[in-house]
Amino acid sequence: GTVEALRACENPELGAHTLDRSPFNRGDRIRVVHGALSGLEGVFQVRTGEERVIILINFLGRDTSPVTLPMADIKPALS
C-alpha cells in the first residue's frame, strides 16, 4: 500500500524521500543558476518532491551541508 511505497523511498541519511523521476543522479555536479546561491556549484543528492531537491554546496573547495532548493534553480555544471 501507500505506507510501504513511502518506506521504499526513504533515505534516512538525508532525512528525505526519494523520487525516481529526476534529470540528475546522486553525485552529479550541478550549478545553482537562480536565487541567493546563484553561481555556486555543488553535488546533487536527492529529489525530495515534484519541485524540490537536496544538494551539497561546494564552498571553499569542499562539498558541505545539504541545502534544499527548487529544482528550477539548478542546472548541470559545465566542466
Side-chain angles (χ1 to χ4, degrees):
T2 302
V3 173
E4 291 79 17
L6 286 171
R7 285 188 179 140
C9 296
E10 279 182 323
N11 184 331
E13 180 181 319
L14 295 172
H17 289 82
T18 60
L19 299 176
D20 294 329
R21 302 172 311 221
S22 176
F24 301 101
N25 294 311
R26 186 180 178 116
D28 286 353
R29 302 294 307 172
I30 59 88
R31 176 178 288 276
V32 181
V33 294
H34 300 289
L37 301 176
S38 183
L40 294 178
E41 291 194 3
V43 176
F44 181 84
Q45 292 297 296
V46 68
R47 186 172 180 169
T48 62
E50 285 297 317
E51 304 293 328
R52 308 289 290 177
V53 295
I54 295 176
I55 64 168
L56 297 178
I57 289 293
N58 186 302
F59 185 70
L60 298 175
R62 298 182 63 185
D63 296 325
T64 60
S65 300
V67 176
T68 302
L69 294 173
M71 173 70 89
D73 285 3
I74 64 171
K75 300 287 182 212
L78 301 175
S79 296

